[in-house]
Amino acid sequence: MSNSREKPLEPTAAVPHFSRSYQRLGRVNLRVLDGPDRGKEFHVDLSDRRLITAGRDAVNDIVLTDTHVSGNHFQIAVTPRGLLLRDLDSTNGVHVGDVRVREVWLTAQTVFRAGQSTFRLLGTDDVQVALPAIDRFDELYGRSAAMRELFSTLERLATRGDRLRVLIGGETGTGKELVARALHNRSSRQAGPFVVQDCTSIPRELAEGLLFGHCKGAFTGAVGDRPGSFEEADGGTIFLDEIGELPLDLQAKLLRVIQEGEVVRVGERNPRKVDVRVLCATHRDLRAMVAEGRFRQDLFFRIADVRVEVPGLREREDDAVLLAELFLRRCAGAGEPRRLSPSARAALQAHAWPGNVRELKSVIERAHVMADGPEITADDLSLAPEVSARRAVAHDGLLLLPHDRAVDEFERLYFTSLLAQHPTKAKAARAAEMSGEGLRQALKRLQIRG
């Protein structure tokens, strides 16, 4: 995100000192009132997560023994508005009183039922978090409390935990690859290679060879020996982006590489030793995929010694303006950068940023080209107020609309947000689990230009 001429937005020390602290939600406390786990209490720490999942599978934060509870039964989302309880398409549902609910806001002492178990939210505990006096960590920028807390976590993982495997979560466009690069660049492996493998772009028939290598004649087109990504990363770090897209058969082979520290090229029998730190990222809920049998439970635990969550841009206070100014300076190069008008600043702060930092970068680069004067205005940003209006309808009044109109409004919101979150239509189609032609036809039917 930067070139060598850029300077930090404010003085940055090699080892951050702490200038202040802030208070945030630190723990959610839940008690089982009735059912097989009656009397058990769960106190879930929120230092590395914004979603709490519950079910029978061992990957959940709350693991239950009730056989009437699904593998991945419900989740509690930590949002700025409070705690939101959601049913995860479970077999027996989530009930508050006699009503089966899809989602409901939790308040202190709320009682709800899942399977044959009854739960009460006992309350929450706040924590004071010390914040480093920096606004940059490697190529990550931010002054918000959420980002400064992330910087502090990354500093510890880079300098003291560089043997740990890290699972990086967060919405599309938040900068998960930048987190992985920062962990590599600040670690003892910084002199070694940093190899990126996007699991969404691997052709299935070539995937094993790309990851683990192949020998000459191993398959049609294998005209010579070729090392795979793991061998190329030997002595350094490999970053597996969107690990949830990896097919199950390759997940088993990846597990062996991580466990044994060796790879076997396609067409060979003898293993080759590799010394690689594995960092993975995903925007999917891998725990739900484990419950559905689409991701291996043993692999999940192997790649997630530590989990970090990159906050969405809408959760980062005024960072949208800070980043916009940074992108404007880059667009200007050696020249004088354009300024943001008060209306532009207000528009940046009000926008929901479904595509996060990636969307912001695209908006600013377009505005830099299209603006006429030295100042960027709200009109230059073209943040499509009609999209914001549709988002408001979807969030606040969708259920009040007639059925046909509600479906149309939801689809327009869904596909508009989908395109904003993904750099290409091919990736958008994969994220929606649609064919490319299916996506094209949907956009045409809804008259969405993408």
Side-chain angles (χ1 to χ4, degrees), residues 19 21 36 71 94 126 136 161 166 302 319 372 416 432:
S19 62
S21 63
V94 173
D126 290 335
R136 175 183 178 182
V166 182
R302 283 290 181 178
D319 279 356
D372 292 324
T416 301

mmCIF file of all heavy atoms in Angstrom, residues 19 21 36 71 94 126 136 161 166 302 319 372 416 432:
data_model
loop_
_atom_site.group_PDB
_atom_site.id
_atom_site.type_symbol
_atom_site.label_atom_id
_atom_site.label_comp_id
_atom_site.label_asym_id
_atom_site.label_seq_id
_atom_site.Cartn_x
_atom_site.Cartn_y
_atom_site.Cartn_z
ATOM 1 N N SER A 19 -0.075 4.783 24.653
ATOM 2 C CA SER A 19 -0.393 6.144 25.057
ATOM 3 C C SER A 19 -1.725 6.258 25.781
ATOM 4 O O SER A 19 -1.920 7.146 26.583
ATOM 5 C CB SER A 19 -0.418 7.057 23.825
ATOM 6 O OG SER A 19 -1.429 6.637 22.939
ATOM 7 N N SER A 21 -5.790 4.023 26.608
ATOM 8 C CA SER A 21 -6.546 2.779 26.516
ATOM 9 C C SER A 21 -7.989 3.122 26.202
ATOM 10 O O SER A 21 -8.419 4.275 26.299
ATOM 11 C CB SER A 21 -6.465 2.002 27.834
ATOM 12 O OG SER A 21 -7.068 2.739 28.894
ATOM 13 N N PRO A 36 -28.985 -31.332 28.821
ATOM 14 C CA PRO A 36 -27.861 -32.195 29.201
ATOM 15 C C PRO A 36 -26.690 -31.456 29.843
ATOM 16 O O PRO A 36 -25.948 -32.048 30.643
ATOM 17 C CB PRO A 36 -27.442 -32.826 27.863
ATOM 18 C CG PRO A 36 -28.674 -32.783 27.021
ATOM 19 C CD PRO A 36 -29.376 -31.522 27.410
ATOM 20 N N GLY A 71 -24.776 -29.434 14.678
ATOM 21 C CA GLY A 71 -23.330 -29.271 14.768
ATOM 22 C C GLY A 71 -22.926 -27.822 14.899
ATOM 23 O O GLY A 71 -22.017 -27.469 15.652
ATOM 24 N N VAL A 94 -34.157 -22.094 17.032
ATOM 25 C CA VAL A 94 -33.923 -21.308 18.243
ATOM 26 C C VAL A 94 -35.252 -20.682 18.635
ATOM 27 O O VAL A 94 -35.949 -20.113 17.786
ATOM 28 C CB VAL A 94 -32.851 -20.221 18.008
ATOM 29 C CG1 VAL A 94 -32.739 -19.304 19.225
ATOM 30 C CG2 VAL A 94 -31.501 -20.845 17.683
ATOM 31 N N ASP A 126 -16.793 -5.748 30.377
ATOM 32 C CA ASP A 126 -15.955 -4.839 29.601
ATOM 33 C C ASP A 126 -14.492 -4.998 29.998
ATOM 34 O O ASP A 126 -14.179 -5.431 31.113
ATOM 35 C CB ASP A 126 -16.383 -3.387 29.821
ATOM 36 C CG ASP A 126 -17.737 -3.078 29.193
ATOM 37 O OD1 ASP A 126 -18.099 -3.789 28.229
ATOM 38 O OD2 ASP A 126 -18.415 -2.159 29.659
ATOM 39 N N ARG A 136 0.274 3.154 12.147
ATOM 40 C CA ARG A 136 0.704 2.336 11.021
ATOM 41 C C ARG A 136 1.435 1.102 11.531
ATOM 42 O O ARG A 136 2.220 1.175 12.465
ATOM 43 C CB ARG A 136 1.633 3.154 10.118
ATOM 44 C CG ARG A 136 2.233 2.360 8.963
ATOM 45 C CD ARG A 136 3.189 3.231 8.164
ATOM 46 N NE ARG A 136 3.806 2.483 7.077
ATOM 47 C CZ ARG A 136 4.718 2.982 6.247
ATOM 48 N NH1 ARG A 136 5.116 4.248 6.397
ATOM 49 N NH2 ARG A 136 5.237 2.253 5.283
ATOM 50 N N GLY A 161 5.724 -14.681 18.282
ATOM 51 C CA GLY A 161 4.982 -15.898 17.945
ATOM 52 C C GLY A 161 5.130 -16.283 16.499
ATOM 53 O O GLY A 161 4.160 -16.703 15.861
ATOM 54 N N VAL A 166 -1.504 -18.618 11.826
ATOM 55 C CA VAL A 166 -2.526 -17.609 12.100
ATOM 56 C C VAL A 166 -3.622 -17.694 11.052
ATOM 57 O O VAL A 166 -3.344 -17.749 9.845
ATOM 58 C CB VAL A 166 -1.919 -16.189 12.097
ATOM 59 C CG1 VAL A 166 -2.990 -15.149 12.425
ATOM 60 C CG2 VAL A 166 -0.762 -16.099 13.094
ATOM 61 N N ARG A 302 -5.414 -27.020 12.970
ATOM 62 C CA ARG A 302 -4.004 -26.893 12.609
ATOM 63 C C ARG A 302 -3.645 -25.510 12.073
ATOM 64 O O ARG A 302 -2.541 -25.026 12.290
ATOM 65 C CB ARG A 302 -3.637 -27.951 11.564
ATOM 66 C CG ARG A 302 -3.449 -29.343 12.131
ATOM 67 C CD ARG A 302 -2.190 -29.409 12.966
ATOM 68 N NE ARG A 302 -1.968 -30.741 13.513
ATOM 69 C CZ ARG A 302 -0.914 -31.072 14.249
ATOM 70 N NH1 ARG A 302 0.002 -30.158 14.526
ATOM 71 N NH2 ARG A 302 -0.776 -32.298 14.709
ATOM 72 N N ASP A 319 -11.371 6.348 10.031
ATOM 73 C CA ASP A 319 -10.282 5.840 9.190
ATOM 74 C C ASP A 319 -10.574 5.978 7.703
ATOM 75 O O ASP A 319 -9.638 6.015 6.889
ATOM 76 C CB ASP A 319 -9.982 4.373 9.524
ATOM 77 C CG ASP A 319 -9.104 4.238 10.767
ATOM 78 O OD1 ASP A 319 -8.676 5.278 11.299
ATOM 79 O OD2 ASP A 319 -8.873 3.099 11.210
ATOM 80 N N ASP A 372 -12.607 18.052 -11.370
ATOM 81 C CA ASP A 372 -12.059 19.126 -12.199
ATOM 82 C C ASP A 372 -11.104 20.033 -11.430
ATOM 83 O O ASP A 372 -10.069 20.437 -11.941
ATOM 84 C CB ASP A 372 -13.194 19.970 -12.786
ATOM 85 C CG ASP A 372 -14.016 19.181 -13.796
ATOM 86 O OD1 ASP A 372 -13.424 18.364 -14.524
ATOM 87 O OD2 ASP A 372 -15.242 19.376 -13.838
ATOM 88 N N THR A 416 -25.589 -5.598 -5.773
ATOM 89 C CA THR A 416 -24.798 -4.372 -5.746
ATOM 90 C C THR A 416 -23.676 -4.488 -4.719
ATOM 91 O O THR A 416 -22.520 -4.138 -4.985
ATOM 92 C CB THR A 416 -25.691 -3.156 -5.415
ATOM 93 O OG1 THR A 416 -26.719 -3.049 -6.400
ATOM 94 C CG2 THR A 416 -24.873 -1.878 -5.400
ATOM 95 N N ALA A 432 -20.914 -16.013 -4.602
ATOM 96 C CA ALA A 432 -22.360 -16.224 -4.571
ATOM 97 C C ALA A 432 -22.735 -17.667 -4.894
ATOM 98 O O ALA A 432 -23.919 -18.011 -4.863
ATOM 99 C CB ALA A 432 -23.048 -15.282 -5.564
#
